Amino acid sequence: MELRTSGDQLVGTAPAGGPCQRPVAQQVLNGSFLGNVFIGDVTLCQKGDACSESATYAVMLFYNFEERALGGLVKMEGGCESDLLKNGMLVLRALEQGASAQPAAAPAPERQVQAPTPASPSGSAAQVAAQRRLEAVDVPAALRQGQQALAAMNPLTASQQFQLVLAQEKNNATALTGMAVAHFLRDQKLEALKFLEQARGVGNQQARAEAWFWMACVKRATQESKVAQEALRRAVVVEGWSAPEGNALVDRELLRLSNEGPNFDALVKQARGRKRAQGRDSQGAGSVSP
């Protein structure tokens, strides 16, 4: 694949032939960088009984400076697979100091077809990312913007902000929970649960409370009522979670939990009746206070 950049924009063009047996060269990757985080979409050839020959998926990829590789998880439609992925991961590695890259999990094509070089100044993704080592992130500001995006139910923007934080502080519990909620909003429940497990393991009591609350929301959505009720009990009774005021997203989830039955409703009323500590108002998924 040939990767070309213009500013923060990245475009990937796959050659004719190759693992997907394309008749002509085709643009298959398009998006932009935030630091070393790429947000965009990728078109993959796929197989499966009820799957189209190709499909386009939203992706979040990360550039590894040492390995000169761009990679991340691609969540495909149920029952679909792609030979370009390995365990659900897409990894593009630079072949040489230039603008070409190939999927690490796919066999190299017999013939490398280069797309025409754009007239505007551009270079390889590796060159551009290497030239702009990740700058220090204003963590409180990024968390605040991420939480505001969640409150507006904009998971893509929220993910961008939380990833910037995690690139600098990999154990930031608020960012981990925020990423979980972003995945939840995109109906990616397994990914949401993985981030919540991490957040519970590294956060303080307030962070654990937020993670348990969202665990309850995810488990309710997967129709695991007993697990959801226990998670909500842990959040409210054990960790002291309280419902923020004026948060439409949290209010929506509280209503859904309350409708699950009297035991849920009692816990929701307890959470609503408890005031949050001063200075810890939630902006979205939870508090941005340390």
Side-chain angles (χ1 to χ4, degrees):
M1 180 189 298
E2 183 184 20
L3 300 180
R4 289 286 173 181
T5 59
S6 178
D8 289 331
Q9 195 73 16
L10 172 67
V11 173
T13 303
C20 295
Q21 294 300 303
R22 294 183 177 86
V24 296
Q26 177 187 1
Q27 179 179 307
V28 295
L29 187 70
N30 184 44
S32 57
F33 274 104
L34 281 173
N36 68 336
V37 181
F38 170 83
I39 304 293
D41 53 57
V42 63
T43 300
L44 300 174
C45 55
Q46 56 184 17
K47 57 187 180 181
D49 293 339
C51 303
S52 58
E53 291 185 0
S54 67
T56 300
Y57 298 98
V59 292
M60 179 180 296
L61 308 177
F62 305 91
Y63 184 74
N64 185 304
F65 295 102
E66 295 181 358
E67 298 184 7
R68 297 178 63 218
L70 186 67
L73 182 68
V74 180
K75 181 177 174 60
M76 303 189 71
E77 296 177 357
C80 297
E81 298 178 351
S82 176
D83 291 335
L84 299 175
L85 305 181
K86 183 176 182 180
N87 297 325
M89 294 289 294
L90 174 68
V91 180
L92 302 173
R93 298 185 187 279
L95 295 176
E96 58 185 35
Q97 188 65 26
S100 299
Q102 69 177 47
E110 295 182 0
R111 181 167 58 93
Q112 184 74 20
V113 178
Q114 299 293 331
T117 303
S120 59
S122 62
S124 71
Q127 290 172 322
V128 172
Q131 289 170 0
R132 74 159 97 108
R133 290 280 179 174
L134 192 62
E135 297 178 0
V137 175
D138 185 341
V139 171
L143 290 174
R144 183 166 55 253
Q145 292 175 36
Q147 300 287 15
Q148 290 169 347
L150 285 181
M153 300 188 191
N154 185 342
L156 182 58
T157 298
S159 295
Q160 293 172 347
Q161 295 300 321
F162 294 133
Q163 286 291 358
L164 290 176
V165 174
L166 292 174
Q168 183 166 304
E169 299 180 6
K170 66 178 181 179
N171 289 328
N172 187 295
T174 301
L176 289 168
T177 299
M179 283 296 297
V181 179
H183 280 294
F184 178 52
L185 288 176
R186 297 175 67 180
D187 200 30
Q188 298 172 345
K189 301 181 185 67
L190 289 178
E191 290 82 355
L193 291 173
K194 290 177 183 178
F195 278 104
L196 290 172
E197 290 285 355
Q198 288 182 260
R200 291 210 317 265
V202 299
N204 57 18
Q205 181 178 351
Q206 184 184 6
R208 291 195 302 272
E210 297 287 349
W212 277 114
F213 168 72
W214 286 105
M215 178 76 73
C217 298
V218 176
K219 289 298 184 179
R220 180 210 60 79
T222 58
Q223 300 182 344
E224 298 177 72
S225 182
K226 290 184 178 180
V227 180
Q229 182 179 325
E230 175 58 22
L232 185 60
R233 187 193 70 81
R234 286 288 301 269
V236 177
V237 178
V238 179
E239 304 293 354
W241 186 83
S242 57
E245 296 181 1
N247 188 307
L249 175 59
V250 174
D251 287 343
R252 184 192 75 176
E253 293 304 315
L254 286 172
L255 178 60
R256 290 175 173 177
L257 288 167
S258 184
N259 289 337
E260 290 292 309
N263 292 332
F264 282 89
D265 188 52
L267 291 168
V268 168
K269 288 179 178 177
Q270 183 176 344
R272 286 190 180 280
R274 181 186 295 137
K275 291 186 178 180
R276 290 207 167 205
Q278 185 176 4
R280 296 199 172 206
D281 292 336
S282 169
Q283 296 294 328
S287 172
V288 297
S289 301

